[in-house]
Amino acid sequence: MQRRAFLKNTSMAAAAVATAGASLAFTNKATNPLPEWRGFNLLDFFNPAPANNHNTTTEEHFKWMRDWGFDFVRIPIAYPCYLNIDRTKDITAEDTYKIDDKAVDKIDKLVQMAHTYNLHTSINLHRAPGYCVNAGFNEPFNLWRDAAAQDAFYYHWNMWAKRYKNVSNKLVSFDLVNEPSMREDMNDQHSKRSAVPGDVYRKVAKGALDAIRKETPDRLVIADGNNVGSDVIPEITDLDIAQSCRAYYPGQISHYKAPWANKDTTNLPTPVYPGQMGNTYFDRAKLEAFYKPWIELAGKGVGVHCGEGGCWKRTPHDVFLAWFGDVVDILHAHQIGFALWNFIGDFGILDSGRSDVAYEDWHGHQLDRKLLELIRKRG
């Protein structure tokens, strides 16, 4: 799809939905300045190798989302998938600037399909120059330590800002980098991680914000919580940036037996909810305490959204629904929206591959009807 045609069509869709406004100035009477968006993460561009991205989201899928009452999608992108580089070699610092416009056009096409069905689209760098929460990737620099990585990061966000310069905030927002953290060994998924120093996070977030605002002064920008999305970022609350939390707490429930989250997946106690796991009793009160800083942040006028949440397929379904029902209720009570990870797949409402679900056939897919009804937008 040609860029000019995309912008024309998207701008028409924007006009039909709403006029552009300041980044946090939405007509939302709730305390939280952001709308209570609900939807899904779409993994069409999640893999850094384009050959491994199958663009599985179709126009029919967007229609189902809309008809079920959802209004939001988040697209976590691995930036190498839209570079024109030699993929038999490790990425170099120079490679990070070799953007392939045709590859970005494919992302544009997905975004436009979402807008056809009035779904707000959050564009996220899941893998950014110099950082990814997942280990095992090769980067020539570190986003949190190296100026060269930061310059490349700003370059990418300036590119995205130019691409969507004439598209309303009602339709597009930018989510800077997925789940920031410091890791001792970038190639070891299980190595110890910690929060990014607050002053460093502020520097990187502000640099990206400036690169974006150079093109679109009112673009809605979101920063994922520190420490892998868990912690509010007090160092940036004076900036015009919303913040994104996660719905994975506690990990004993959300990532039960997930191989990337557990060194040993064979000797884990079966999760319960509510109930005792290890030294902690997890119940609604425990979840409310976890989300309290985020609720307070929204109360101070900083937009809050939950960009990811859900449960891997090995968690008993009744435990998942009981826990996630409380999570959804707590977020909803404070007008905080969320996006399930993902739409189709191990965390999703379609084809999740759970062994303890009575799936409903849905146009050739296996639909988890109980989960769908749990997360549908409430009145």
Side-chain angles (χ1 to χ4, degrees), residues 291-302:
Y291 287 109
K292 183 180 178 181
W294 293 98
I295 294 165
E296 291 175 343
L297 182 67
K300 295 175 181 177
V302 177

Side-chain angles (χ1 to χ4, degrees), residues 339-372:
L340 190 71
W341 184 283
N342 41 6
F343 180 59
I344 298 175
D346 292 349
F347 283 72
I349 60 171
L350 294 172
D351 303 337
S352 57
R354 298 178 183 276
S355 61
D356 56 350
V357 172
Y359 287 106
E360 172 185 327
D361 182 74
W362 183 265
H363 301 278
H365 293 277
Q366 296 296 294
L367 171 64
D368 185 343
R369 174 64 70 172
K370 288 185 177 180
L371 177 57
L372 170 61

Side-chain angles (χ1 to χ4, degrees), residues 32-91:
N32 184 9
L34 288 182
E36 192 183 346
W37 290 310
R38 289 194 183 197
F40 305 92
N41 282 263
L42 307 180
L43 308 190
D44 298 57
F45 301 98
F46 181 72
N47 197 292
N52 295 330
N53 287 318
H54 304 296
N55 306 119
T56 57
T57 307
T58 68
E59 188 166 350
E60 187 176 38
H61 297 156
F62 286 123
K63 182 180 182 298
W64 297 344
M65 294 178 209
R66 182 202 62 188
D67 291 349
W68 283 328
F70 298 102
D71 57 4
F72 178 91
V73 291
R74 180 174 180 260
I75 305 177
I77 302 169
Y79 83 95
C81 81
Y82 60 81
L83 297 180
N84 184 8
I85 57 175
D86 182 351
R87 300 184 184 279
T88 66
K89 301 177 181 178
D90 289 345
I91 292 176

Side-chain angles (χ1 to χ4, degrees), residues 231-305:
D231 299 342
V232 165
I233 318 150
E235 293 84 3
I236 68 168
T237 54
D238 63 313
L239 302 178
D240 190 13
I241 301 179
Q243 298 191 29
S244 178
C245 61
R246 291 294 179 267
Y248 293 132
Y249 175 82
Q252 296 100 307
I253 293 177
S254 65
H255 286 72
Y256 175 60
K257 290 193 175 182
W260 66 92
N262 301 276
K263 286 184 177 181
D264 179 6
T265 61
T266 59
N267 298 306
L268 295 174
T270 303
V272 294
Y273 184 86
Q276 189 81 23
M277 290 187 291
N279 297 322
T280 305
Y281 186 86
F282 290 97
D283 58 5
R284 186 185 180 99
K286 191 68 175 177
L287 297 181
E288 288 174 340
F290 175 78
Y291 287 109
K292 183 180 178 181
W294 293 98
I295 294 165
E296 291 175 343
L297 182 67
K300 295 175 181 177
V302 177
V304 175
H305 188 259

